[in-house]
Amino acid sequence: MGAAHEALAPLLVVAVDPGAELGTEPGLEPGAARLADRLALALPGGLDGPVVVAADALAALVRGLDPRQPCIYLGPAEPLVLALAPLIAAPTASRCAPIVLLTRDATAIPLLGTAAGAARLAARIVQALTAPDPAPAPVSAPAAVPADDIPGAPASAARATGRLAVVGLGPGAAGLMAPDVRAELDQAEAIIGYRTYLELAGPFRPGQRVLASDNREELARARQALALAAAGERVVVVCSGDPGVFAMAAAVLEALEQAPEPSWQALDIEMLPGISAAQAAAARAGAPLGHDFCVLSLSDNLKPWAQIARRLDHAAAADLVIALYNPRSRARPGQLQAALDLLRAHRAPTTPVVLGREVGRPGEQVLVTTLGAVRPEQVDMRTVVIIGSSQTRQFPRPGGVWVYTPRWYPRPLSEGVSEQVPEATAAPPTD
Ligand code: SAH
């Protein structure tokens, strides 16, 4: 959502029959006035309006709006859709300020501005309207409570457009978790994840439901999260590191693509990134990922070993720095040895290797060794293994060594850099 959209509080537009008294508050029926009060309390930036407009004057009102003005519209759908038709057809529709249609049965439908947070606004609206008590702690209240004071709402019709965030906790240390992830966890109603990761995601408030599951049931966990969100809850799925790196974000999208329920496609879904294990371990050792690198999972749960071996072989031949995730488990003790043998066919025994274990957690160990010396027994499933390229170097620092991969390729060895590198590239931007 662009900052411009956040600057303006949503405007509540209430449509009434042509000929009814127009203006502001006086034209509102009591149900709509209560609804306006609830929204004003529950929306983070408050609420503007309400503006009461005759349904047949809606098109004129829409044309006259500031294009940055988010709107919540309460009234019959048809006149609004007709008024918005030219905007909906425009290629920029998703980037408009959000316009959400709120029907009398408490369904909030994002019509315009999907890229500008319309789905999130819709979810917030329904959350606000379905909370049992508008005054205290709207966030911790269970969301799926009927909105019985919405004008004309059948009690059972209150269904939210829920929210599902798939978040990366980073390696473990609280300071390495993105503030957006912390905020999402704080606001969640249900938090789902593998037991160990849930411990890193706390502390939780009494009202929050924490659903621990076994690590292997990823697709089932993804479906559970989607179903809860579809029921109107604010759901967070937690992953260690980054949610998109060998983790739940892809599982959620796989479940979504195969979703039995079309309503799941309308959910407000967001992936919030985290610092991945390879990045965290690399930072401890220096800058081994300073040039081109790849990440590979050695787990053969979801792909055959032959494919893993082929990728390792190509990555090694391409002289990429390689970060190995899921490097070794009790179920497949021999594979890391096989992987190391494969890499040794391409790289010198002096190639630096970084073993980062439990990085960012109590008991962290970061060891720098070499491809010739590393032994599989030094590695377990809580370790990420970084194998240098032909260019990766190490040099002493107090209490250890720095490891880095220069930004040049190939790196000029003994001579000064400027003699070997054309001026235009002598100082590449650091980013
Ligand atoms: N999404 C995670 C990776 C999950 S796969 C991320 O982006 O980091 C699990 C593998 O990640 C583990 O087998 C291990 O290789 C690595 N890993 C995750 N957290 C780690 C940590 N704190 N220290 C070292 N390795 C870690």
Side-chain angles (χ1 to χ4, degrees):
M1 202 188 322
H5 297 134
E6 285 178 331
L8 294 173
L11 176 71
L12 179 63
V13 176
V14 181
V16 294
D17 289 334
E21 185 195 353
L22 302 185
T24 48
E25 302 269 357
L28 283 182
E29 59 181 289
R34 268 205 304 278
L35 174 142
D37 288 343
R38 287 194 115 171
L39 287 176
L41 272 178
L43 296 175
L47 186 72
D48 262 350
V51 168
V52 181
V53 63
D56 58 0
L58 202 55
L61 177 112
V62 165
R63 276 197 303 273
L65 281 177
D66 181 335
R68 295 169 307 132
Q69 175 65 61
C71 276
I72 302 166
Y73 168 87
L74 179 68
E78 207 179 354
L80 178 69
V81 173
L82 285 175
L84 291 179
L87 296 174
I88 290 174
T92 50
S94 75
R95 296 194 300 277
C96 293
I99 297 192
V100 174
L101 165 64
L102 181 55
T103 66
R104 299 228 158 202
D105 65 357
T107 306
I109 303 166
L111 284 183
L112 273 190
T114 48
R120 191 174 319 172
L121 178 60
R124 285 204 178 121
I125 292 167
V126 180
Q127 199 182 6
L129 299 183
T130 53
D133 179 0
V139 170
S140 62
V145 174
D148 52 10
D149 70 348
I150 293 173
S156 61
R159 267 289 166 265
T161 311
R163 173 168 167 84
L164 173 58
V166 189
V167 307
L169 301 173
L176 296 181
M177 183 192 294
D180 279 5
V181 171
R182 185 68 264 161
E184 192 72 38
L185 285 166
D186 291 343
Q187 292 174 57
E189 289 162 326
I191 298 125
I192 301 181
Y194 179 49
R195 221 168 288 279
T196 319
Y197 302 156
L198 287 169
E199 281 163 25
L200 301 172
F204 300 111
R205 284 179 288 102
Q208 295 182 302
R209 283 195 294 143
V210 180
L211 306 165
S213 63
D214 181 83
N215 203 17
R216 295 194 169 229
E217 307 159 352
E218 286 177 352
L219 215 50
R221 199 190 309 159
R223 292 205 181 95
Q224 177 190 23
L226 285 160
L228 275 176
E233 294 212 39
R234 197 177 171 114
V235 183
V236 173
V237 172
V238 299
C239 307
S240 76
D242 183 86
V245 178
F246 310 126
M248 287 297 294
V252 165
L253 292 182
E254 191 180 335
L256 182 66
E257 192 183 12
Q258 306 163 355
E261 290 276 337
S263 67
W264 289 16
Q265 312 292 344
L267 286 172
D268 175 19
I269 297 177
E270 195 173 357
M271 319 301 178
L272 299 182
I275 296 171
S276 194
Q279 295 168 286
R284 296 290 197 245
L289 308 182
H291 199 81
D292 299 346
F293 68 95
C294 67
V295 294
L296 291 174
S297 167
L298 284 197
S299 168
D300 61 357
N301 285 342
L302 302 169
K303 61 182 169 184
W305 172 255
Q307 180 67 26
I308 298 171
R310 195 158 44 240
R311 288 190 175 167
L312 275 170
D313 202 42
H314 283 284
D319 203 17
L320 293 166
V321 173
I322 302 171
L324 297 176
Y325 286 63
N326 299 310
R328 183 167 183 256
S329 78
R330 278 188 294 273
R332 42 188 176 82
Q335 288 179 359
L336 181 59
Q337 183 64 58
L340 291 172
D341 290 345
L342 216 149
L343 296 172
R344 283 171 182 143
H346 292 273
R347 299 208 181 153
T350 51
T351 305
V353 169
V354 177
L355 306 179
R357 182 167 192 278
E358 303 257 44
V359 181
R361 302 180 192 165
E364 166 178 321
Q365 289 172 305
V366 178
L367 183 74
V368 177
T369 175
T370 62
L371 189 56
V374 63
R375 286 173 293 108
E377 306 78 66
Q378 294 172 293
V379 173
D380 65 9
M381 275 299 269
R382 295 166 176 205
T383 309
V384 63
V385 179
I386 301 176
I387 293 138
S389 73
S390 67
Q391 308 297 305
T392 305
R393 308 171 60 77
Q394 52 173 299
F395 64 93
R397 63 167 153 170
V401 291
W402 285 117
V403 180
Y404 78 103
T405 305
R407 297 163 301 148
W408 318 98
Y409 197 96
R411 185 180 191 277
L413 287 177
S414 46
E415 298 83 1
V417 166
S418 56
E419 286 168 37
Q420 302 241 332
V421 179
E423 259 222 289
T425 58
T430 304
D431 49 18

